[in-house]
Amino acid sequence: MICTTTDLIDSQHPYEVIGLVTAHSVRARNAFSKMGASFKSNFGGHIGSFEKLYDMLKEDAMTELTENATKLGADAIVAIRMEFVELPDTESASLHVYGTAVKLINK
């Protein structure tokens, strides 16, 4: 499946719009990563646990997005957008991904 943040794939891939496709993922941080991040934010340093969390969110959401697009009969997803949200009261993070599912013409 072709996935792109642009509105067009390229001139060699004209398409018909199928419609909006969405996906989301929510994950909680564990207590140890929270403690490490708190320490690093006070003293400086790379917070790898946050990057890992966001990478997992992105992987989960993109997998769901492509599965949802496939169910609609899409060959590609264009104009993909992502919205990360930290949920402070729950120590969780959320990622919402959406784009336009399309069917390639003359595939």
Side-chain angles (χ1 to χ4, degrees):
M1 168 110 20
I2 298 170
C3 296
T4 182
T5 58
T6 61
D7 293 336
L8 300 173
I9 299 168
D10 61 41
S11 62
Q12 302 299 314
H13 293 93
Y15 59 78
E16 296 175 358
V17 172
I18 295 174
L20 179 67
V21 63
T22 65
H24 65 277
S25 179
V26 179
R27 285 186 176 255
R29 288 183 255 172
N30 67 44
F32 295 112
S33 70
K34 180 184 172 192
M35 289 186 323
S38 177
F39 179 79
K40 288 181 180 178
S41 67
N42 288 326
F43 297 101
H46 182 77
I47 306 176
S49 61
F50 284 172
E51 287 182 357
K52 184 176 179 182
L53 173 67
Y54 286 117
D55 287 344
M56 289 188 298
L57 285 167
K58 181 180 172 188
E59 183 177 332
D60 291 347
M62 287 301 295
T63 297
E64 182 181 335
L65 187 73
T66 56
E67 288 172 356
N68 292 344
T70 299
K71 289 176 188 174
L72 296 173
D75 299 314
I77 308 167
V78 298
I80 295 174
R81 302 294 184 262
M82 298 182 184
E83 297 177 6
F84 286 101
V85 177
E86 286 192 46
L87 309 169
D89 294 338
T90 63
E91 297 302 328
S92 300
S94 171
L95 173 64
H96 183 75
V97 181
Y98 56 96
T100 303
V102 299
K103 183 80 173 165
L104 300 178
I105 300 171
N106 301 322
K107 179 181 169 192

